């Protein structure tokens, strides 16, 4: 069962169009909301006039930001609807609720708002410059988490510091030093399903929300905290989610749906993003400016690393703080460096606010680190894979946050590198001129990641039996596309030695009946929920054995559960079918014992600690998955265009649970990484307005533009994980931007340190390089 | 302006009241045929693809009123077809949101152009966006059906 490409449980639902997503559940009679958004990136709101809109047909309510509490997970800096000031282009300033979406849209146009534009902040560097306008004058007064460190009087929402070893020593030991700067603007997740939520408030005060989210349990918690609702009276439903990639981890539209429902006496209201709004109004993929300085000995041993990451958190910090912290926690990449100094800042700008993006700060920092390593290799005239092998992180080393690694909590990077070397045929050639125009080149990178999530994140599972002995499996992991629910069924089937078809998986989430899974993020679904499922199975086994022991008149220690029976280990002919005891057992005379078997289990991550404010020391996650990547490109020297020929990722997965699902995750992540790196960015005008919030001008990779993908695995088990398996949902992505940039830098023979790698960028860099301008 | 019309959908006659400005996508979804998805409402993503007289059409770009008297096939009208089986077996979906649109497009391709070469496959399928898969799985699913057809 483990490792097999079991067909996904929801496969037929999805290929027949029957799978229901949030918007598909909106019933007739539901009211519709239209968001009115700011045309300015930074402005005072002088006046909002809503009378005309109120008078329009079908209008039931108009919401503004007056009197609403501030929200935000780490730092409460965001009004759910802007009040007095807007801080990004696309920010919600009013919500119109009407009988139909069309009426709401028409009324929305009748709202008149007078703005007084303010000076805008267009990048982290600008935000930190002397005299920059402050986005949050009241930063000092905001409610914040214990481990969030805003710097009032500046645009810094949070700073993570990593201090390991001695920089003085590190520089003294080095023979060469390289330093380089990197940057890219915010971009988008572009999930095919735009974000949406509905809310209603029942007569008894129960708040019922349906949302396209990765964090149904967090919605429940936050609506309780922000608005004083009793948490037990908030029920969140999540059906299938049409892509998320981190963009559906923040809680935003759900709050608006709740407020809207409240404004119309509890009636059900639907809030749905158009594509254009989804791109700018809802949280985006973070931008970054970084400077990396590495020192190394002549033979390529890195002795010192100094890095500054200035993340463009946008107008509100929300989940961006966590992203910048995670980037810092793994700041060296998968290399053992004794002397490390890193400052990772979450900086406010007048850009749409940022949220996690698949890989959680890692593809961003890896781009900077891996480019610098290539530059170091060039300076030392060393082979680019050899320098990575030379510095590869190993058991016995410590991470930047000073966690000691062992054979279980880190994978085998040298093995990943060796496999990539073979798969990309590295030793054959690295750059060849095909003719006077075309050049082929290869680039490599390495990556790693742990999950920087709450230290008390937990996951639960419940299994119940049906009268035929089949099982219902209920977990809080959201089916966002990763196939985790099917993998969990495989884990259970293996444990109970059952037919996978006899395991029925509850796909949707209902926070009232589904046990909590903290959030479906960080590639931790299989590990945490998998452990919970195993523990629920143990619980059920114990109950089954107890009742079977009584009926068979044996000791429960002599019993085994499997193949639909409870049987004597040494004599399987003595058995009782599970279906005869799953609902209690009835003796021939009518007496009965037992009752429905309900197995429950949970798992909480162990021994995690917050990062120390001054040194960063702490344990952010349970294990580090390591990977190595390569990309081959064909570059046209004449017009600077290129084709991605081949992309390779080798990941230490520990153990494959479902082969095709795992390959799909890795290749899908690679595709997203290449799409981001090669073409995705928001273009801002000088007023920091987003110019390309639609798929015609923001163009993700399409069919036919995809290269050949090669995903392969190395198997170093994580001992405490279900069957040794490591999280891989994000890892295929992390090294792609770096590997592509390395390949193109080699091809064009110019360092490419910005994203996305548009032909225009290559051309500009190349021209600048030769003319010493630009 | 509203009017009552009869649409031929998946071999059935459905009578419904529509505004003349309603797109086919909106009307289908009101009829609880929610397989066709809104992704952009701008013709860019293909999540809303259905067949009108066997031609794949982005239903967000066509007015419902234009389809009166024409044969509309939505994902709900496909049952156990080769392309659906191939999508299942090749893991050619993840979140599944783009899947109905991709399946409709690929269904039309594989039934109408069994000899499709690489160029034709690309031209047909580049009109849809999938954000989850690498497209390699979708390509394999489509090819596996084309190979079966050739046999
Ligand atoms: S919704 Fe029709 S093409 Fe995107
Ligand atoms: S499967 Fe998610 S967009 Fe295609």
């Amino acid at each position: 069962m483990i490792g097999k490409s079991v067909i996904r449980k929801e496969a037929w639902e999805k290929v027949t169009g029957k799978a229901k997503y949030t918007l598909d559940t909106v019933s007739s009679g539901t009211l519709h909301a239209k968001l009115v958004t700011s045309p300015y990136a930074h402005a005072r709101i002088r006046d909002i006039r809503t009378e005309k809109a109120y008078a329009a047909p079908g209008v039931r309510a108009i919401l503004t930001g007056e009197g609403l509490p501030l929200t935000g997970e780490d730092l409460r800096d965001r009004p759910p609807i802007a009040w007095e000031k807007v801080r990004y282009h696309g920010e919600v300033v009013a919500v119109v609720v009407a009988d139909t979406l069309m009426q709401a849209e028409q009324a929305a146009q009748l709202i008149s708002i007078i703005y007084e534009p303010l000076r805008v902040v267009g990048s982290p560097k600008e935000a930190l410059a002397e005299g920059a306008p402050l986005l949050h004058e009241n930063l000092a007064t905001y409610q914040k988490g214990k481990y969030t460190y805003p710097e009032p009087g500046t645009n810094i929402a949070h700073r993570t510091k990593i201090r390991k070893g001695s920089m003085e020593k590190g520089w003294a030991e080095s023979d060469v030093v390289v330093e380089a700067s990197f940057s890219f603007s915010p971009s988008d997740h572009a999930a095919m399903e735009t974000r949406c939520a509905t809310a209603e408030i029942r007569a008894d005060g129960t708040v019922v929300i349906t949302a396209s989210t990765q964090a149904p349990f967090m919605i429940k918690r936050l609506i309780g905290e922000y608005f004083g609702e009793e948490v037990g009276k908030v029920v969140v439903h999540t059906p299938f989610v049409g892509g998320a990639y981190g963009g559906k981890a923040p809680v935003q539209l759900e709050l608006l749906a709740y407020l809207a429902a409240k404004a119309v006496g509890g009636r059900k209201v639907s809030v749905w993003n158009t594509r254009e709004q989804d791109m700018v109004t809802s949280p985006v993929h973070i931008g970054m400016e970084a400077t990396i300085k590495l020192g190394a000995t002549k033979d390529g041993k890195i002795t010192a690393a100094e890095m500054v990451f200035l993340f463009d958190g946008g107008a509100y910090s929300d989940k961006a703080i966590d992203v910048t912290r995670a980037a810092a926690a793994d700041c060296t990449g998968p290399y053992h460096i004794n002397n490390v100094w890193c400052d990772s800042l979450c900086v406010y700008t007048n850009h749409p606010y940022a949220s996690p993006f698949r890989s959680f700060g890692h593809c961003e920092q890896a781009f900077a680190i891996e480019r610098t390593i290539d530059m170091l290799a060039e300076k030392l005239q060393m082979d680019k894979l050899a320098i990575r092998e030379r510095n590869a992180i190993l058991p016995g080393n410590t991470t930047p946050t000073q966690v000691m690694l062992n054979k279980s909590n880190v994978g085998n990077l040298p093995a990943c590198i060796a496999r990539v070397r073979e798969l990309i045929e590295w030793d054959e050639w690295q750059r060849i001129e095909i003719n006077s125009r075309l050049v082929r080149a290869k680039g490599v990178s390495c990556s790693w990641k742990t999950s920087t999530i709450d230290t008390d994140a937990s996951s639960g599972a419940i299994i119940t039996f049906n009268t035929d002995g089949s099982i219902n499996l209920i977990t809080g992991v959201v089916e966002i596309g990763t196939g985790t629910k099917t993998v969990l069924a495989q884990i259970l089937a293996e444990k109970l030695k059952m037919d996978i078809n006899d395991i029925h998986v509850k796909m949707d989430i209902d926070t009232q009946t589904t046990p909590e899974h903290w959030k479906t993020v960080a590639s931790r679904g299989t590990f945490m929920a998998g452990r919970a499922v195993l523990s629920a199975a143990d619980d059920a086994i114990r109950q089954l054995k107890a009742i079977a022991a009584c009926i068979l008149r044996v000791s429960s220690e002599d019993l085994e559960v499997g193949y639909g029976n409870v049987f004597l280990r040494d004599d399987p002919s003595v058995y009782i079918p599970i279906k005869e005891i799953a609902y209690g057992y009835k003796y021939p005379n009518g007496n009965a014992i037992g009752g429905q078997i309900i197995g429950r289990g949970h798992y909480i991550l162990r021994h995690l600690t917050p990062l120390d404010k001054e040194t960063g020391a702490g344990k952010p996650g349970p294990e580090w998955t390591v990977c190595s990547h390569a990309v081959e490109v064909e570059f046209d020297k004449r017009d600077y265009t290129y084709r991605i020929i081949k992309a390779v990722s080798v990941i230490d997965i520990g153990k494959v649970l479902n082969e095709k699902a795992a390959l799909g995750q890795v290749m899908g992540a690679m595709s997203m990484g290449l799409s981001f790196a090669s073409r995705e960015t928001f273009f801002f005008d000088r007023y920091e307005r987003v110019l390309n919030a639609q798929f015609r001008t923001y163009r993700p990779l399409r069919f036919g533009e995809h290269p050949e993908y090669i995903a392969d695995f190395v198997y170093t088990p994580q001992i405490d994980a279900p069957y040794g398996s490591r999280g891989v949902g994000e890892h295929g992505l992390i090294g792609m931007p770096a590997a592509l940039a390395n390949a193109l830098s080699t091809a064009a023979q110019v360092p490419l340190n910005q994203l996305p790698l548009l032909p225009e960028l290559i051309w500009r860099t190349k021209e600048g390089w030769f003319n010493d301008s630009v | 302006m509203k009017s009552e019309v009869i649409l031929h959908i998946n071999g059935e006659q459905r009578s419904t009241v529509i505004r003349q400005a309603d797109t086919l996508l909106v009307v289908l979804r009101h009829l609880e045929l929610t397989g066709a998805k809104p992704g952009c409402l701008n013709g860019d993503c293909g999540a809303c693809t259905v067949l009108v007289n066997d031609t794949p059409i982005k239903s967000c770009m066509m007015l419902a009123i234009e389809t009166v008297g024409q044969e509309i096939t939505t994902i709900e009208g496909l049952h156990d077809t080769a392309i659906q089986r191939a999508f299942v077996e090749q893991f050619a979906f993840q979140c599944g949101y783009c899947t109905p649109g991709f399946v409709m497009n690929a269904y039309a391709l594989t039934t109408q152009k069994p000899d499709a070469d690489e160029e034709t496959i690309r031209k047909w399928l580049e009109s849809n966006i999938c954000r989850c898969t690498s497209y390699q799985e979708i390509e394999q699913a489509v090819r596996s059906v084309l190979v079966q057809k050739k046999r």
Side-chain angles (χ1 to χ4, degrees), chain A residues 14 21 190-193 241-245 480-481, chain B residues 92-99 102 129-133 135 138:
Chain A
K14 286 183 173 171
Y21 299 80
M192 293 310 297
E193 178 202 25
V241 172
Y245 327 110
I480 53 176
Chain B
F93 63 87
Q94 287 177 25
C95 79
Y97 197 82
C98 72
T99 310
F102 251 114
I129 300 175
C130 175
R131 196 62 169 158
C132 296
T133 72
Y135 295 116
I138 295 174

Side-chain angles (χ1 to χ4, degrees), chain B residues 5 8-9 14 17 37 39 43 47 51-52 58 61 65 72 84 86 90-92 101 106-107 116 126 135 142 145 150:
Chain B
V5 295
H8 296 252
I9 309 172
R14 303 282 302 258
V17 176
K37 304 290 185 213
L51 306 186
V52 176
K58 289 167 175 166
M61 297 299 277
I65 201 128
I72 302 164
Q84 285 167 302
Q90 301 295 334
F91 284 56
Y107 172 78
E126 71 182 4
Y135 295 116
V142 170
V145 174
K150 277 190 198 131

Side-chain angles (χ1 to χ4, degrees), chain A residues 438-498:
Chain A
L438 297 179
V439 181
R440 285 210 179 186
K442 298 169 188 169
V444 289
S445 67
C446 293
S447 65
W448 71 342
K449 180 177 185 294
T450 190
S451 52
T452 308
I453 60 179
D454 285 7
T455 56
D456 60 350
S458 76
S459 184
I462 298 173
I463 59 177
T464 62
F465 285 81
N466 298 305
T467 48
D468 60 356
S470 66
I471 293 187
N472 307 306
L473 171 59
I474 309 161
T475 64
V477 178
V478 182
E479 186 42 85
I480 53 176
T482 53
T484 307
K485 295 241 180 198
T486 303
V487 170
L488 292 174
Q490 287 178 261
I491 289 174
L492 184 60
E494 175 80 17
K495 175 83 184 176
L496 292 174
K497 303 181 205 67
M498 279 178 69

Side-chain angles (χ1 to χ4, degrees), chain A residues 378-619:
Chain A
E378 277 161 19
K379 194 155 183 178
L380 290 165
Q381 297 185 325
M382 244 183 113
D383 178 86
K384 287 167 183 166
L385 274 177
I387 194 168
R388 289 173 165 89
E389 264 162 356
R390 173 90 175 82
N391 292 285
I393 195 101
L394 298 171
N397 297 155
T398 56
T399 71
T401 67
Q402 304 175 39
V403 176
M404 177 59 76
L405 297 172
N406 59 41
K407 282 195 172 129
S408 171
N409 67 8
V410 69
N412 184 343
L413 182 62
C416 294
I417 295 176
R419 187 74 185 118
V420 160
R421 188 185 280 280
E422 281 167 34
L423 289 171
I424 198 76
E425 297 173 343
W426 182 252
D427 296 335
E428 317 285 301
W429 56 268
Q430 286 138 38
R431 184 181 190 279
I432 41 171
E433 307 245 350
I434 294 190
N435 54 39
S436 60
R437 276 180 72 169
L438 297 179
V439 181
R440 285 210 179 186
K442 298 169 188 169
V444 289
S445 67
C446 293
S447 65
W448 71 342
K449 180 177 185 294
T450 190
S451 52
T452 308
I453 60 179
D454 285 7
T455 56
D456 60 350
S458 76
S459 184
I462 298 173
I463 59 177
T464 62
F465 285 81
N466 298 305
T467 48
D468 60 356
S470 66
I471 293 187
N472 307 306
L473 171 59
I474 309 161
T475 64
V477 178
V478 182
E479 186 42 85
I480 53 176
T482 53
T484 307
K485 295 241 180 198
T486 303
V487 170
L488 292 174
Q490 287 178 261
I491 289 174
L492 184 60
E494 175 80 17
K495 175 83 184 176
L496 292 174
K497 303 181 205 67
M498 279 178 69
D499 187 339
I500 186 84
N501 295 318
D502 288 335
I503 295 182
H504 307 287
V505 176
K506 182 169 158 57
M507 282 291 164
D508 54 331
I509 304 288
D510 168 349
T511 59
Q512 206 168 26
T513 54
T514 313
E516 171 153 336
H517 177 76
W518 182 67
K519 290 181 189 176
T520 305
V521 297
S523 306
R524 280 285 166 253
T526 306
F527 173 44
M528 293 173 55
R531 284 288 300 258
V533 166
L534 288 174
S535 137
D538 278 331
D539 188 34
I541 289 170
R542 202 168 48 243
Q543 298 172 47
L544 288 167
K545 282 182 180 173
I547 182 169
C550 194
I551 298 157
L552 300 173
R553 280 170 283 184
V554 299
S555 153
S556 71
E557 278 96 75
D558 292 341
L559 292 170
E560 280 291 324
V561 175
Y563 318 103
N565 298 323
V566 185
F567 56 91
L568 262 187
R569 191 174 298 121
D570 51 329
D571 183 5
S573 70
V574 179
Y575 72 94
I576 182 138
I578 288 176
K579 65 179 178 207
E580 287 183 23
I581 55 175
Y583 277 70
Y585 176 74
K586 193 155 123 191
Y587 286 97
N589 73 352
N591 296 171
I593 57 166
Q596 188 186 4
I597 309 283
I598 302 171
R600 89 265 182 286
H602 53 75
Y603 182 75
I604 195 156
L605 290 170
R606 76 171 125 83
H607 292 177
L608 300 188
T609 56
L611 306 186
D612 182 81
K613 185 177 181 199
E614 296 307 326
T615 65
K619 189 176 175 199

Side-chain angles (χ1 to χ4, degrees), chain A residues 233-296:
Chain A
K233 283 204 158 177
V234 183
V235 180
V236 182
H237 295 269
T238 298
F240 286 116
V241 172
Y245 327 110
K248 290 175 181 170
V251 178
Q252 183 199 29
L253 299 189
E254 298 82 3
L255 306 180
L256 299 178
Y258 160 79
L259 291 168
K262 215 166 156 175
V264 294
R267 282 184 68 180
K268 186 166 169 182
V269 180
S270 148
V271 182
W272 171 75
N273 271 347
T274 61
R275 174 59 57 191
E276 291 75 7
Q277 276 177 346
D278 201 60
M279 290 186 121
V280 296
T281 297
S282 285
V284 303
H285 176 194
I286 208 160
M288 186 187 79
E289 293 170 339
T291 304
I292 311 282
K293 189 174 163 192
L294 296 177

Side-chain angles (χ1 to χ4, degrees), chain B residues 56-77:
Chain B
I57 294 287
K58 289 167 175 166
S59 64
C60 71
M61 297 299 277
M62 189 169 201
L63 294 176
I65 201 128
E66 295 176 89
T67 64
V68 172
Q70 317 212 43
E71 285 301 327
I72 302 164
T73 311
T74 70
I75 186 79
E76 288 87 352

Side-chain angles (χ1 to χ4, degrees), chain A residues 6 8 14-15 21 24 102 188-190 192 243 245 275 481 660 664-665 668 680 696 701-702 706 709, chain B residues 19 29 34 37 39 42 44-45 75 84 88-89 91 94-97 126 131-132 134-136 139:
Chain A
V6 168
R8 292 171 60 145
K14 286 183 173 171
V15 300
Y21 299 80
D24 302 337
M102 193 195 62
D188 197 43
H189 306 80
M192 293 310 297
Y245 327 110
R275 174 59 57 191
K660 278 196 180 162
Q665 279 297 294
E680 290 184 35
R696 235 164 256 190
L701 214 63
R702 283 177 186 264
H706 60 291
Y709 290 101
Chain B
R19 286 166 59 240
R29 292 182 59 86
T34 54
K37 304 290 185 213
N42 197 36
D44 298 331
C45 76
I75 186 79
Q84 285 167 302
V88 168
E89 280 155 20
F91 284 56
Q94 287 177 25
C95 79
Y97 197 82
E126 71 182 4
R131 196 62 169 158
C132 296
S134 70
Y135 295 116
Q136 198 159 291
E139 187 176 358

